[in-house]
Amino acid sequence: MRSSRSGFTCTLAGCLATVLVLAACGGSEERAEDEILIAAIFDLTGPTADVGIDYADAVRGHVDWLNARGGIQGRPVRLIYQDYGYQVDRAEQLYTQFVQEGALIFMGWGTGDTEALRLRITDDRIPFSSASLSHVLGDAHESPYNFLVATSYSDQFRIVLRWIAEDHRANGGEGNAQVAFMHNASPFGLSPWAQGGEDYAREIGVDVTPYEMPRGATDYTAEFSRIGQSGATYVVFQNTSAPAAVALRNARGLGIDATFVCLNWCANALLWRLAEDAAEGVVGAIPWAPLTDDVPGILDIRGYLESRGEDYAEKTNAYTQGWWTMAVFVEGIRRALAAGEDLTGENIRRALETIDGLDTGGAGPPLTFTPSDHRGSKGLRLFRAEDGRWTPMTEVLTAPSWGPDAP
């Protein structure tokens, strides 16, 4: 079995082997005195494993890459992690275990488990970043130790709704644009709708109808029959790649004449592999660039993958997001050490809050955190699926301000 430092790639078919390896990654082995301990939970076998695997590989890969370059100011980073299978109670159990073992930082995953852990994270003063981009988790007053290292689901949805309104008018549409919002049956799925999306749609004159996508469904014909009857000309997915691919195949087979839009967890290379031609023309709201996008901020990732004999074109942009999420927390640790501070959760949090316009080399918008706002990014680019790759449609689009952020 390989340790968490060496990293490994798990395929969906090989997840049982992954679980066996992960059982040895709980952190009980002896550590060097100057080692920096970071903990993580990943979904490698649960309902979001289709994107969770690449994200996990990237977090582990960044640590491997970093340590090969001397760590952080000469101090190695040790990552302890487990697969939690998208189970909230398991996430809570692992959080307790890893914090007791001395983890300074915690990398989470899902919306439900991150929200369940929010108060404990604050009490324990553990800087925390989740793959969940639930807007409320970036509220530094409510969640002072949680940081969003990508555009929140709500801001993604608001950017897309504004684009839909403009596209509808540009194409001669009359009245309000009609939108079907197809979402995962979970807090993750509802987050962009419940946290600002519904109100914003009403404000700009876009009619949105939510449609739940039941977990494990292998056919969405019934949902698309209703969507077809509704007259919707835009369909927005808030889900991961596998269910979105099934839905696209269903929609194309039924002849649904609509523009399809994926928010970030289904706008990736895996959608192409699963949906094939049905993915053609899909618009992707993508906070972190696909690895096929030629921007400086992904060159280290490409180099790392190539050094391991892996094809970066086969990875989803979940890999970019996982890599840069870890990179941002490494930057926080580096700043705390450079200031001569002890490595405590409170000092790392304060160091992260000094990040102002962090250059991501085009992999994503510059990142800024402040003591009052832990939503590091407010924008993204829209891409279009064309001939097997994601082609940029726009420059960075910034989310409209709202709530307490509005002027």
Side-chain angles (χ1 to χ4, degrees):
M1 294 186 292
R2 301 181 194 178
S3 71
S4 57
R5 262 189 211 180
S6 62
F8 56 90
T9 301
C10 171
T11 64
L12 289 173
C15 282
L16 178 58
T18 298
V19 174
L20 295 175
V21 172
L22 287 170
C25 300
S28 59
E29 60 192 79
E30 188 175 345
R31 299 194 297 268
E33 186 176 347
D34 64 344
E35 210 163 42
I36 299 169
L37 190 64
I38 297 176
I41 55 172
F42 301 130
D43 183 12
L44 302 177
T45 57
T48 60
D50 53 343
V51 290
I53 290 168
D54 270 2
Y55 187 92
D57 278 350
V59 171
R60 291 191 299 257
H62 187 87
V63 172
D64 185 35
W65 175 86
L66 179 71
N67 283 334
R69 285 154 181 76
I72 306 175
Q73 294 194 4
R75 295 181 60 175
V77 173
R78 181 159 180 263
L79 183 70
I80 55 175
Y81 55 88
Q82 286 272 10
D83 172 23
Y84 83 115
Y86 211 65
Q87 300 175 40
V88 172
D89 57 347
R90 179 66 173 150
E92 292 176 309
Q93 174 192 345
L94 289 169
Y95 172 82
T96 299
Q97 174 186 331
F98 290 156
V99 170
Q100 288 175 347
E101 291 180 12
L104 290 171
I105 288 170
F106 201 96
M107 296 281 141
W109 177 252
T111 299
D113 38 274
T114 301
E115 291 178 350
L117 287 168
R118 184 172 57 83
L119 295 180
R120 293 175 61 187
I121 292 162
T122 300
D123 289 343
D124 295 333
R125 301 182 180 183
I126 300 292
F128 189 103
S129 188
S130 173
S132 168
L133 303 174
S134 174
H135 195 81
V136 69
L137 296 174
D139 184 338
H141 300 293
E142 295 293 326
S143 307
Y145 283 82
N146 198 89
F147 291 81
L148 266 61
V149 189
T151 314
S152 76
Y153 298 139
S154 297
D155 280 346
Q156 290 181 42
F157 194 34
R158 289 160 66 85
I159 288 169
V160 164
L161 287 173
R162 183 176 60 190
W163 175 82
I164 286 173
E166 294 169 354
D167 186 69
H168 176 68
R169 289 193 297 269
N171 286 288
E174 298 181 357
N176 291 352
Q178 302 296 311
V179 179
F181 176 59
M182 298 191 72
H183 64 89
N184 187 285
S186 69
F188 148 64
L190 279 171
S191 176
W193 173 250
Q195 296 179 28
E198 181 177 11
D199 292 340
Y200 185 65
R202 189 181 303 113
E203 177 187 326
I204 65 172
V206 175
D207 295 338
V208 182
T209 303
Y211 294 85
E212 183 175 281
M213 301 174 75
R215 287 189 188 180
T218 58
D219 184 271
Y220 298 102
T221 299
E223 287 81 1
F224 277 112
S225 294
R226 291 159 53 205
I227 289 170
Q229 292 169 3
S230 76
T233 54
Y234 297 86
V235 178
V236 178
F237 294 109
Q238 167 69 345
N239 213 323
T240 59
S241 310
V246 172
L248 284 169
R249 285 179 174 274
N250 291 158
R252 304 298 193 194
L254 291 168
I256 299 294
D257 185 17
T259 297
F260 296 92
V261 183
C262 266
L263 302 188
N264 77 299
W265 286 116
C266 63
N268 53 47
L270 182 59
L271 187 75
W272 273 105
R273 294 200 292 274
L274 297 176
E276 298 179 326
D277 290 346
E280 185 74 23
V282 171
V283 175
I286 302 181
W288 289 102
L291 291 177
T292 52
D293 193 28
D294 292 322
V295 294
I298 63 173
L299 296 182
D300 284 337
I301 307 176
R302 286 186 184 181
Y304 174 74
L305 289 169
E306 288 171 347
S307 74
R308 295 170 56 82
E310 298 186 55
D311 182 357
Y312 66 80
E314 293 296 313
K315 297 292 186 181
T316 69
N317 36 302
Y319 201 101
T320 314
Q321 185 168 331
W323 183 280
W324 271 97
T325 299
M326 179 57 76
V328 167
F329 277 73
V330 167
E331 177 65 17
I333 295 169
R334 183 178 288 117
R335 290 184 181 214
L337 289 174
E341 302 279 2
D342 293 333
L343 280 189
T344 65
E346 190 164 358
N347 288 339
I348 295 170
R349 174 184 64 83
R350 284 201 295 259
L352 286 165
E353 290 171 346
T354 68
I355 291 176
D356 184 7
L358 181 68
D359 185 8
T360 67
L367 297 170
T368 297
F369 299 104
T370 71
S372 62
D373 187 359
H374 288 180
R375 301 177 190 108
S377 171
K378 304 298 192 300
L380 50 74
R381 287 182 292 165
L382 295 181
F383 289 68
R384 190 183 302 278
E386 296 177 344
D387 299 324
R389 64 181 293 146
W390 292 96
T391 302
M393 288 174 54
T394 69
E395 297 299 319
V396 173
L397 303 177
T398 302
S401 58
W402 60 297
D405 300 326

